[in-house]
Amino acid sequence: MTTTIPTDIPTVAATGTAASALRGTRRRRNVRSAAVTCALAVAVVALLVLTMMVGSFRIGAGEVVASVLHLRDNPSVDFVVRGLRLPTAASALTVGLALGASGTIFQQLLRNPLASPDFVGITSGAGLAAATGIVLLQGGGLVVSGMALGGALLAGLLMYLLAWRDGVTGYRFILIGIGASVFFDGLIGFVLSRAQLFEARQAMHWLTGSVGQASTAELRLLAGALLVLLPAAVLLQRPLRALELGDDAARTLGIRPDLSRAGLLGTAIVLVALAVSVAGPIAFVALVAGPIANRLLGPATGGILPAALVGSALLLTADLVAVHLLPTPLPTGVVTGAVGAPYLLWLLATANRQGVGG
């Protein structure tokens, strides 16, 4: 009698080995992602405390923590920490989270490292609305912030509608955004040319960007929005990864490309609009936060929460440098611009060498 040996045993063994290797790779990626996220969170908390320690009146780390958490009653320390330094530190923290998350969503969704809110017209739209409010309406505080928020949202909606043609592609969205940004910048120059000297200086200070100009109401609005939008962005990370593979692959995985893309873009636009309304158009943080986070994450690239934490760390560090390490205190946007411009040149040069720079 002839014994038949199943021919599919090697195939089954190979499939099991591949599945085991895949699970091991996924486990290592998850472990690295969790470790990097925790390390970044610790670094952000340390920078937050350091921001409230330094100044003309030095305060110890323990006193800062006790004052913020209301563990001790020390009127002089509480006045300096809660009244003077905490609003600026909280502004840098929340604005950095919003810029980092929105920047990496744009870059992954549009599949271009230059796809940042800085360059696709959204921050320029906010700047135009804010400059108009300052110069023509003599507004300030919540009026300017509200107009900046509305300007950013309208600019984002305009970009989406102009880029829509049986769907939104990254290349078309970026080109239209760059053109709109140039147009808005020209209108900003026109508005400033009609301003009085005091109004022009006030508008230019806002357009430079600084984390120290937010009111309590603006900070509460941004913090409340982050509590909703940041978890929503993290939940949308699965559709975002699917869209990176292309629309056909996303449909195969059960993702609706147009709806998911609209939700992701909407979330990113609202995040950056709120950040700009609080601190002005701080340049380059949204551009560099995602790539730095990806370098730290290694094979576990694309994490929205790590990119948001990198954005906070960058902005807290930039504020420390701008206020305490330079001969004259400067707006935070000056430091981020000085650091971000060389990075942009390097990014353009390397992209061109790799043949993806256009």
Side-chain angles (χ1 to χ4, degrees), residues 120-132 143-159 184 206 269 272-274 276-277:
V120 294
I122 297 171
T123 55
S124 295
L128 174 61
T132 302
V143 174
V144 174
S145 296
M147 291 194 69
L149 177 61
L153 294 175
L154 286 175
L157 179 61
L158 179 64
M159 299 303 99
F184 290 148
W206 191 93
I269 289 170
V272 74
L274 288 168
V276 173
S277 71

Side-chain angles (χ1 to χ4, degrees), residues 35 68 82 100 115 117 120 134 148 167 187 195 198 219 258 262 270 275 307 324 334 339 349:
V68 171
R82 297 184 211 159
V120 294
I134 292 172
L187 290 180
F198 172 75
L219 280 176
D258 292 336
V270 172
H324 301 291
V334 174
V339 174

Side-chain angles (χ1 to χ4, degrees), residues 181-201:
S181 181
V182 173
F183 176 70
F184 290 148
D185 288 340
L187 290 180
I188 290 172
F190 172 77
V191 170
L192 293 178
S193 69
R194 316 302 298 175
Q196 301 294 325
L197 180 60
F198 172 75
E199 296 166 346
R201 290 183 63 181

Side-chain angles (χ1 to χ4, degrees), residues 26 29-30 32-34 37 97 100-109 228-246 250 253 255 259-261 263-265 267-268 271 290 293-294 297-309:
R26 188 177 299 167
R29 288 180 56 182
N30 291 337
R32 178 157 182 170
S33 177
T37 302
L97 286 172
S102 64
T104 196
I105 290 173
F106 269 99
Q107 288 165 344
Q108 293 181 61
L109 190 61
V228 176
L229 293 176
L230 200 54
V234 174
L235 290 175
L236 288 170
Q237 192 160 305
R238 179 179 175 272
L240 179 59
R241 291 187 187 278
L243 288 171
E244 287 186 276
L245 302 174
L253 296 171
I255 304 298
L259 185 60
S260 299
R261 190 175 288 111
L264 285 161
L265 278 175
T267 302
L271 282 171
N294 288 340
L297 289 168
T301 58
I304 293 176
L305 185 56
L309 291 170

